[in-house]
């Protein structure tokens, strides 16, 4: 699977590290050393689908045997590369199917690791081993015996173990549900999460020392998701601010449906109206607006359909598989008002529009003014200070 090392691999890693440094994603030279100690190509399949980590990046197939130069270029570029599709039923070299594991883009990986800021003596719990690359980077940085990585998928865990063994790296690998953490190895000083969560499992804070740090992708479903850096308190809570974008596959126990609802706007039970609010401003225009809507309209995901004529349809869909409530807003170029349809026991467009207006009334705060508190009693999103939780 790993193939013969490219003679220019050192140059490739340095070039990638230089690019990430120029973009502010890599500032600690010890992570540059780890990139060399744990070369990424050892964790990438010989044929895979790669997607550049930039807005509008178009995916493409790479095949080490058919076009080795393109494969090497993709591996040492800022690309996410599929390593599993449809839990092993699909082909990671094809665009069809849902990604269920990947070798994440190096820029995102380095951003997370830099915010984790582990010290030499720290014990780290990783949630989601995946290919094993980030577990390897952590092990190269901290040494043997300090890194535990949990993976729910036995096939992925076995492959990661082989990848790591090929480099003589031996983090402690656990097959289990990452939502439960790993109590047998607690307490930890750092928790590194490689899968998105809407509700942060309280076990992660409970298994972390006071003052410890959890870095995770908070992915509520409205927008791409947000990188959260939480510090653990003495009472077992964790709190901190949102620090940037983070689009990750969801923790398996928190997966939600994808796409529009099975019922459509022609359903006679839906209620029609119109709005003057441009739906494009509610999704993609401001990460701050996305945070506010996600906090004030819980358990709802967004979905967008874009047509070639410039029109688009924006969906808000309740996160349940069985007859969810939904709202649809059709953006039509040149219109003063846009058609709205709502269905179910919630008027989701009314909720979303009200949340958007609250965000405007608060002065249109950006993402970094919002934070997250996780406690055994529940979870809150706040603006500026933890004692200012969001509410309609």
């Amino acid at each position: 699977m790993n193939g013969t090392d490219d003679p220019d691999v050192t140059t490739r890693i340095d070039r990638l590290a230089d690019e990430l440094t120029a973009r502010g994603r890599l500032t600690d030279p010890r992570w540059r050393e780890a990139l060399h100690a744990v070369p990424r190509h050892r964790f990438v399949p010989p044929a895979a689908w790669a997607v550049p980590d930039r807005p509008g990046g178009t995916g493409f197939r790479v095949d080490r045997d058919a076009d080795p130069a393109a494969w090497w270029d993709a591996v040492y570029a800022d690309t996410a590369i599929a390593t599993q599709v449809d839990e092993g039923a699909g082909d990671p070299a094809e665009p069809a199917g849902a990604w269920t594991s990947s070798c994440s883009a190096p820029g995102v990986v380095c951003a997370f690791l830099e915010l984790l800021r582990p010290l030499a003596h720290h014990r780290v719990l990783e949630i989601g081993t995946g290919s094993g690359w980030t577990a390897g980077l952590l092990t190269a940085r901290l040494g043997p015996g300090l890194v535990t990585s949990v993976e729910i998928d036995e096939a992925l865990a076995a492959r990661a173990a082989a990848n790591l063994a090929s480099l003589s790296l031996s983090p402690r690998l656990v097959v289990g549900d990452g939502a439960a953490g790993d109590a047998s190895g607690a307490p930890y000083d750092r928790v590194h999460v490689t899968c998105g969560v809407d509700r942060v499992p309280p076990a992660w804070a409970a298994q972390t020392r006071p003052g410890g740090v959890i870095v995770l992708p908070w992915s509520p479903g409205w927008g791409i998701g947000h990188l959260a850096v939480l510090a653990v308190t003495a009472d077992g809570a964790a709190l901190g601010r949102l620090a940037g974008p983070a689009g990750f596959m969801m923790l398996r126990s928190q997966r939600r449906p994808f796409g529009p609802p099975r019922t459509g706007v022609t359903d006679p039970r839906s209620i029609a109206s119109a709005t003057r609010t441009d739906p494009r401003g509610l999704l993609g225009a401001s990460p701050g607006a996305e945070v506010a809507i996600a906090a004030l309209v819980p358990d709802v995901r967004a979905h967008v359909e874009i047509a070639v004529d410039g029109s688009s349809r924006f969906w808000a869909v309740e996160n349940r598989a069985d007859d969810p409530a939904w709202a649809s807003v059709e953006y039509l170029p040149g219109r003063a008002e846009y058609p709205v349809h709502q269905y179910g026991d919630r008027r989701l467009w009314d909720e979303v529009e009200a949340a958007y207006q609250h965000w405007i009334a608060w002065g249109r705060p950006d993402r970094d003014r919002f934070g997250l508190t996780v406690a055994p009693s529940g979870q809150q999103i706040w603006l500026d200070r933890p004692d200012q939780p969001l509410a309609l």
Side-chain angles (χ1 to χ4, degrees), residues 25 43 87 114 142 147-148 174 184 188 208 215 238 240 267 270 315 330:
R25 293 295 185 100
F43 300 84
E87 298 183 19
E114 293 236 335
L142 297 172
V147 178
T148 295
V174 176
S184 66
Y188 299 96
T208 305
V215 177
D267 191 299
S270 68
W315 295 90
E330 186 178 9

Side-chain angles (χ1 to χ4, degrees), residues 1-351:
M1 174 176 174
N2 298 318
T4 304
D5 285 357
D6 181 80
D8 295 325
V9 67
T10 298
T11 302
R12 289 181 181 276
I13 294 171
D14 278 331
R15 188 183 303 128
L16 173 61
D18 288 343
E19 176 192 337
L20 298 179
T21 299
R23 290 166 49 200
R25 293 295 185 100
L26 179 61
T27 64
D28 187 335
R30 290 169 294 186
W31 288 122
R32 179 187 283 259
E33 294 171 8
L35 290 174
H36 280 282
V38 191
R40 190 180 186 226
H41 68 273
R42 296 294 191 96
F43 300 84
V44 173
W49 196 259
V51 179
D53 187 29
R54 62 173 183 268
T58 302
F60 56 96
R61 178 188 171 94
V62 291
D63 188 320
R64 191 185 60 213
D65 297 328
D67 189 346
W71 186 86
W72 282 102
D73 287 346
V75 169
Y76 287 104
D78 199 18
T79 59
I81 299 177
T83 56
Q84 187 193 69
V85 171
D86 293 335
E87 298 183 19
D91 183 352
E94 298 296 332
W99 287 24
T100 46
S101 185
S102 72
C103 197
S104 297
V108 174
V109 169
C110 288
F112 270 61
L113 293 176
E114 293 236 335
L115 288 169
L116 197 68
R117 293 190 178 95
L119 300 179
H121 64 281
H122 278 165
R123 301 179 67 254
V124 177
L125 171 65
E126 179 178 68
I127 307 299
T129 311
S131 71
W133 187 45
T134 54
L137 293 171
L138 285 163
T139 304
R141 170 73 179 268
L142 297 172
L146 294 177
V147 178
T148 295
S149 186
V150 181
E151 172 58 56
I152 194 170
D153 188 302
E154 292 185 8
L156 288 176
R159 193 183 311 159
N163 292 341
L164 291 160
S166 74
L167 294 168
S168 299
L169 295 168
S170 54
R172 178 170 168 260
L173 302 180
V174 176
V175 178
D177 184 356
D182 178 60
S184 66
Y188 299 96
D189 301 283
R190 296 288 187 267
V191 179
H192 176 247
V193 183
T194 70
C195 50
V197 291
D198 182 358
R199 298 288 176 180
V200 180
W204 298 349
Q207 294 171 16
T208 305
R209 295 183 189 277
V213 172
I214 305 171
V215 177
L216 61 91
W218 181 58
S219 305
W222 194 272
I224 192 171
H226 315 275
L227 195 167
V229 183
L230 311 181
V232 176
T233 61
D235 60 358
L239 58 91
R241 292 185 180 273
L242 306 181
F248 279 67
M249 288 165 280
M250 296 297 290
L251 183 77
R252 292 199 180 184
S253 60
Q254 294 192 21
R255 286 177 180 170
R256 47 185 169 250
F258 179 78
R262 286 190 291 270
T263 55
V265 294
T266 57
D267 191 299
R269 296 170 294 175
S270 68
I271 297 174
S273 60
T275 181
R276 295 173 56 207
T277 300
D278 187 336
R280 296 173 300 174
L282 280 64
L283 194 67
S286 168
E290 293 176 3
V291 175
I293 293 169
L296 298 175
V297 190
D299 302 318
V300 171
R301 60 186 171 85
H303 179 73
V304 182
E305 300 170 326
I306 300 176
V308 294
D309 63 358
S311 65
S312 51
R313 188 177 296 278
F314 292 76
W315 295 90
V317 187
E318 201 173 20
N319 283 332
R320 70 185 192 207
D322 182 23
D323 197 30
W326 55 260
S328 164
V329 183
E330 186 178 9
Y331 168 76
L332 299 168
R335 295 286 188 92
E337 291 188 335
Y338 309 107
V340 175
H341 289 81
Q342 301 187 83
Y343 168 87
D345 54 6
R346 295 175 67 179
R347 293 293 176 260
L348 289 183
W349 175 252
D350 297 347
E351 292 185 37

